[in-house]
Amino acid sequence: MREVTKDKIAVKIEPNHPITRDMIGFDVILDGEKISKINSNLGFSHKGIEKAGQDRYIGQYLPAIEKIDYFAPFFYSHAFLSALERLSEIELPLYAQYVRVLTMELNRITSHLSNLGRFMDVLNCRSAAFHFFNMQNEILNIFEKISGGRISCNYYVFGGVKNNICREILTEILNFTSKFKEKFKILQGFTKENPVFLDRTRNKGIIDTQNALEYSITGVNLRASGLNLDFRKEKPYLLYDKLEFHAPTVFEGDCYSRFALRLDEIKISVELVKQCLDWLLSNCEEKCNLEIKLSDICPKAGAAVSFTEGPRGLIMCHVVSDGGKKLKRVKWRTPSFYSIQILEKALIGLNLADFAVIFDSLDINSSEADR
Amino acid sequence: MTNAASTGFQTFSSLGDTIQSWISGYNIPEWLTITIFLGLYFGLAVILAIIIVYVLAYTERCITNVFAPYNAVDEDESKKHKILMPLAHFIKLFLKEGFRPQNCQNALFFVSPIIMFSLILCAFCLIPFGSSVIFLNQNFSGLFFMVFFLMALAIRFLAAYAGGGKFSFIILMQEIQENIALSIPMLLCLLGVSIMAGSLNINDIILAQAASYGIFGWFFVTELIAAGIFFVCVLIFFDKTQLYNLNAPVDTVFGYKSEYSGVKLAIFEFCEYLMLFVISLFFVCLFFGGYLSPFGAYILPEFLIFLEQIFWLLIKTFLVFLIIIAIRIATPKLSSARLLEISYRILIPLSLINLNISILIQYFSGVR
């Protein structure tokens, strides 16, 4: 703030500002209408998740993990549990693997849809925003039927999943995927074919491959700037090496390519869900017999790391255990924390009105960044 | 065939005359009669405005429900669309604490909503609702209307300055640019129409559109470019200042209203609905024949014609309002820079061309 002179204005974008939505703050210095410097303030929603992992029993810690990112609860519980399962050398039953892939891909769709919906709300296009939210809502209803929770589901357990998905719910998911093609056309009409959308997102907030790597950005944001790094392909976990899919890459690195890539990823996720449904519908009577009590989870001593490709990028969980009921150390790598920092580079020289566009195109969830 | 020009039923002016003669019997001084008249006129206008805004607020909610339905709410819940909801929201706003920021300009902060409201009422009173239902009939009422309307818009700058916030200041700069860029083509369109009609009086402009063949005599046929430009300007004016979407003007929080709360905010919201209604009234008067019947002749008998005229005017205005709201819900917002580009590169040159065309038409037709 010391650099403020007569022709510069210092503006504070605090958590109550409508751009941020979540608890995050920015100190912006404006030179006329252009942004000349920007600093991000984190820590408004710090929950002490890493320390809680050391203090609580593992069964108690599981529901807390989902609060890291309320848009992607399944990814975080999988990231934590797969690290524990790797530590204890447990192999998941095939049924549980299929169910995990199914729910995680559905969750990826909801996360991307909510991002696009919020962005359309920023652009003041309310009908598009509600189309996105309604589609997201259909999947959230399915989550509620599977696990009993819409946002924090707490569905995965150590060594599998909590309960079977019955045939009725599976057919409901099948209906959703079969109806998806028509709805996707509407979504594309609102975004990719909309001249105002193109005008506001094309050639703005360009991040090249070099910058993206320097700032350690992953996920869709990295793939939009030209590097094909998908951890579902790179270090395949669960069934991802058996399922057929491709991760598209774009080279422009602007806001438009990020949004377009997110739309494409929704399509790919639906294909993955279809492949899982094929297997699950023929084997839905299979029982995943789990009789582990939550308080009895007791991994072997040692350390393990898990890699999960979340909707916002790479989620990494590092777990250290001494063989007791409590863990010695839990360390999270959350992708939004890295995406926030590139704002300082991508935004300089742009108007304040472009702030919302670039902030939303990076798909930042400040709750995830704070942990 | 009843010509619209020759409807001699003087409802409002005859009513005024009787009241005036009744008052003058009691030896009341002239200044008091004038104030009583002004009070009556504006009281009537305020009551009308409140009814109109209530209807508009309710219809906007209904349209939003159609274009942007939210499925998370139960279907029964959303179908029971409550007619008293806008009233409840306004009461809630009126009961809220009026917060005063530290940096505000005290007097301006309290006065600016009232100035805005009174200016928009002045513009409202200039519109003829029927050939005899006119509150204020001025020679230059078209120009006066634009002056009052643009002044009411300019009060937003005053409000933003009085609020003393930084975000208000930023939008103040943006909106001054936009207002200048958009008011020039609007005034040029009005000029083109007034040249075709041979007058700047709104009532004369409406009467110049009267023809036995109904719709095809209206100015949207001969002044199609002007109608288009005017409509685009109205759209852009009211696309920027959102009514009920708090998230909308994201780059500048809540625009000029960001420092206001309670009653003052409610008055601003009220004014924006009224402004949208008044400008659609004006648009209908200029290009869609105002209170004229689309069939060329009136259906009702002569002593009820004023009711039919009000009906036609309100129906047309309501349709324009619906179209504006629907477009606003279904399309994304332009950035400020692109908006200026559209205005200076497309709208102003086109409106100048339109002005020249209408001058040439009048010159060669040799009517005036």
Side-chain angles (χ1 to χ4, degrees):
Chain A
M1 289 290 138
R2 278 181 201 160
E3 292 159 38
V4 182
T5 54
K6 260 187 181 175
D7 21 302
K8 289 187 177 178
I9 312 169
V11 177
K12 277 209 165 203
I13 296 175
E14 290 287 280
N16 56 8
H17 192 285
I19 296 180
T20 54
R21 284 191 210 86
D22 289 328
M23 309 305 271
I24 189 170
F26 294 98
D27 295 335
V28 184
I29 295 175
L30 293 173
D31 188 3
E33 226 181 327
K34 309 268 187 231
I35 293 169
S36 68
K37 203 184 175 192
I38 178 163
N39 281 323
S40 48
N41 303 332
L42 285 174
F44 286 97
S45 63
H46 183 57
K47 293 178 282 291
I49 288 286
E50 285 176 358
K51 185 78 177 77
Q54 300 167 28
D55 294 346
R56 298 184 186 192
Y57 294 114
I58 293 165
Q60 290 173 323
Y61 186 46
L62 274 172
I65 295 167
E66 299 190 327
K67 269 77 176 177
I68 296 177
D69 184 0
Y70 41 83
F71 287 124
F74 286 111
F75 291 96
Y76 276 88
S77 37
H78 172 75
F80 179 64
L81 284 170
S82 69
L84 284 187
E85 283 150 11
R86 189 172 291 176
L87 195 62
S88 312
E89 288 157 11
I90 291 177
E91 191 143 317
L92 284 179
L94 199 60
Y95 181 85
Q97 288 193 34
Y98 268 109
V99 171
R100 278 198 187 181
V101 172
L102 176 86
T103 43
M104 266 156 65
E105 290 308 319
L106 283 174
N107 197 354
R108 195 187 303 277
I109 297 170
T110 59
S111 175
H112 287 339
L113 281 175
S114 71
N115 170 254
L116 287 160
R118 279 178 302 155
F119 180 62
M120 292 320 280
D121 194 34
V122 163
L123 288 193
N124 208 350
C125 181
R126 246 197 286 180
S127 60
F130 276 91
H131 264 99
F132 282 100
F133 290 145
N134 286 339
M135 251 180 92
Q136 184 202 1
N137 196 50
E138 282 176 36
I139 304 176
L140 289 183
N141 285 338
I142 292 168
F143 284 168
E144 195 178 3
K145 278 172 193 166
I146 293 175
S147 67
R150 287 165 70 83
I151 294 188
S152 53
C153 303
N154 197 16
Y155 181 55
Y156 298 164
V157 288
F158 187 64
V161 290
K162 230 172 212 172
N163 48 356
N164 279 25
I165 305 177
C166 66
R167 190 175 282 275
E168 288 159 17
I169 298 169
L170 288 175
T171 47
E172 201 175 309
I173 301 169
L174 197 67
N175 285 339
F176 173 79
T177 50
S178 56
K179 270 189 272 169
F180 180 77
K181 232 178 192 178
E182 302 155 22
K183 285 187 176 173
F184 194 76
K185 266 182 197 167
I186 301 172
L187 302 189
Q188 247 181 348
F190 275 127
T191 51
K192 280 184 176 177
E193 292 154 18
N194 193 329
V196 182
F197 181 88
L198 295 182
D199 178 51
R200 297 227 39 185
T201 53
R202 275 243 163 103
N203 298 324
K204 272 180 186 158
I206 296 172
I207 299 168
D208 53 4
T209 322
Q210 185 66 30
N211 267 334
L213 279 175
E214 276 171 13
Y215 279 80
S216 168
I217 280 174
T218 46
V220 177
N221 299 337
L222 181 61
R223 265 170 269 145
S225 41
L227 194 74
N228 194 353
L229 186 75
D230 190 333
F231 278 82
R232 290 176 291 181
K233 288 260 183 208
E234 202 75 17
K235 283 180 185 283
Y237 52 93
L238 295 178
L239 293 160
Y240 282 114
D241 47 348
K242 289 180 195 165
L243 300 171
E244 285 174 24
F245 70 103
H246 70 286
T249 318
V250 198
F251 292 92
E252 281 91 11
D254 56 353
C255 291
Y256 171 75
S257 58
R258 266 168 249 146
F259 283 121
L261 211 59
R262 232 159 251 143
L263 267 178
D264 291 343
E265 271 220 340
I266 291 173
K267 227 178 187 173
I268 291 160
S269 294
V270 169
E271 279 165 23
L272 279 169
V273 166
K274 273 182 189 168
Q275 289 177 38
C276 290
L277 279 176
D278 285 341
W279 191 88
L280 280 171
L281 277 168
S282 52
N283 296 297
C284 71
E285 263 73 52
E286 195 172 307
K287 220 20 187 151
C288 52
N289 46 349
L290 280 167
E291 272 137 27
I292 309 168
K293 277 185 188 171
L294 282 176
S295 54
D296 292 346
I297 301 172
C298 193
K300 287 176 188 171
V305 186
S306 74
F307 298 88
T308 313
E309 177 75 21
R312 271 161 266 281
L314 170 67
I315 298 164
M316 236 165 77
C317 181
H318 180 229
V319 170
V320 182
S321 166
D322 55 354
K325 281 186 180 179
K326 287 177 184 173
L327 291 171
K328 219 175 172 191
R329 177 88 174 92
V330 186
K331 168 80 183 140
W332 288 97
R333 182 223 190 259
T334 48
S336 284
F337 183 68
Y338 300 89
S339 310
I340 285 173
Q341 291 168 38
I342 206 159
L343 276 177
E344 291 162 15
K345 199 148 202 169
L347 266 169
I348 285 171
L350 291 170
N351 285 347
L352 189 63
D354 295 327
F355 185 99
V357 179
I358 292 158
F359 183 78
D360 271 352
S361 81
L362 286 167
D363 197 3
I364 289 164
N365 185 353
S366 66
S367 154
E368 189 191 43
D370 278 350
R371 273 165 277 156
Chain B
M1 177 72 57
T2 327
N3 192 358
S6 66
T7 47
F9 194 74
Q10 296 285 316
T11 31
F12 267 72
S13 39
S14 64
L15 190 72
D17 286 340
T18 39
I19 293 171
Q20 201 169 17
S21 59
W22 178 65
I23 288 171
S24 59
Y26 290 92
N27 276 335
I28 292 168
E30 202 181 341
W31 60 268
L32 197 60
T33 21
I34 290 170
T35 39
I36 286 169
F37 261 80
L38 278 177
L40 272 176
Y41 272 20
F42 277 93
L44 195 61
V46 168
I47 291 164
L48 268 176
I50 288 170
I51 294 167
I52 286 164
V53 166
Y54 197 86
V55 172
L56 297 188
Y58 182 66
T59 42
E60 203 217 349
R61 278 140 197 264
C62 292
I63 298 167
T64 317
N65 246 22
V66 172
F67 279 86
Y70 189 43
N71 291 346
V73 186
D74 272 343
E75 233 174 65
D76 302 328
E77 197 73 15
S78 61
K79 268 177 191 167
K80 275 189 278 170
H81 206 71
K82 294 102 183 170
I83 201 157
L84 291 177
M85 272 311 258
L87 181 69
H89 281 163
F90 270 108
I91 289 171
K92 193 188 95 184
L93 265 183
F94 271 104
L95 292 178
K96 275 199 172 176
E97 184 196 356
F99 179 74
R100 191 171 60 82
Q102 212 172 10
N103 296 340
C104 77
Q105 307 281 327
N106 252 333
L108 287 179
F109 186 72
F110 285 100
V111 162
S112 51
I114 300 162
I115 301 177
M116 195 182 204
F117 184 60
S118 50
L119 280 172
I120 207 69
L121 267 189
C122 290
F124 182 69
C125 292
L126 286 165
I127 300 279
F129 278 80
S131 51
S132 54
V133 192
I134 310 169
F135 286 107
L136 300 166
N137 202 355
Q138 287 278 332
N139 270 344
F140 294 98
S141 59
L143 202 59
F144 266 115
F145 177 90
M146 283 310 288
V147 168
F148 281 128
F149 179 74
L150 292 173
M151 281 239 299
L153 283 174
I155 294 301
R156 298 191 292 187
F157 311 145
L158 193 70
Y161 169 72
K166 269 178 188 165
F167 286 107
S168 317
F169 181 73
I170 293 164
I171 200 154
L172 189 144
M173 291 316 187
Q174 268 183 20
E175 283 199 349
I176 286 175
Q177 295 172 348
E178 283 159 21
N179 265 26
I180 293 167
L182 291 173
S183 53
I184 295 169
M186 265 172 121
L187 282 166
L188 287 174
C189 291
L190 173 66
L191 267 185
V193 171
S194 69
I195 284 166
M196 292 297 283
S199 167
L200 262 171
N201 185 325
I202 302 174
N203 200 26
D204 289 351
I205 290 171
I206 293 169
L207 294 180
Q209 299 174 54
S212 55
Y213 38 90
I215 285 182
F216 299 104
W218 296 353
F219 278 147
F220 82 94
V221 180
T222 45
E223 293 275 303
L224 190 61
I225 306 170
I229 293 166
F230 202 90
F231 188 68
V232 169
C233 287
V234 172
L235 263 185
I236 294 175
F237 260 134
F238 290 96
D239 211 25
K240 291 298 285 185
T241 54
Q242 272 290 306
L243 308 183
Y244 260 91
N245 192 356
L246 278 162
N247 279 357
V250 160
D251 39 329
T252 44
V253 194
F254 203 14
Y256 65 96
K257 293 176 279 190
S258 49
E259 304 292 335
Y260 289 81
S261 61
V263 183
K264 294 191 251 345
L265 182 63
I267 294 174
F268 275 135
E269 300 270 328
F270 187 87
C271 285
E272 283 192 355
Y273 271 112
L274 199 59
M275 257 197 258
L276 187 47
F277 179 72
V278 162
I279 197 68
S280 10
L281 268 178
F282 190 59
F283 178 68
V284 166
C285 288
L286 288 192
F287 300 104
F288 289 88
Y291 51 74
L292 298 178
S293 158
F295 310 117
Y298 294 112
I299 304 159
L300 292 176
E302 199 166 306
F303 68 100
L304 282 176
I305 275 179
F306 76 99
L307 278 180
E308 200 189 332
Q309 286 173 338
I310 292 173
F311 170 76
W312 285 126
L313 182 66
L314 288 182
I315 280 288
K316 287 173 198 169
T317 314
F318 205 66
L319 279 176
V320 172
F321 177 80
L322 288 189
I323 292 166
I324 290 171
I325 293 283
I327 290 174
R328 196 170 63 185
I329 291 167
T331 52
K333 191 174 77 167
L334 279 172
S335 65
S336 181
R338 185 71 63 208
L339 196 150
L340 294 180
E341 207 179 303
I342 287 172
S343 171
Y344 284 112
R345 288 211 180 138
I346 302 168
L347 296 183
I348 293 178
L350 266 180
S351 55
L352 281 170
I353 289 167
N354 175 66
L355 186 63
N356 285 326
I357 290 170
S358 40
I359 289 168
L360 284 177
I361 289 172
Q362 281 301 46
Y363 183 75
F364 285 112
S365 62
V367 181
R368 289 176 182 93

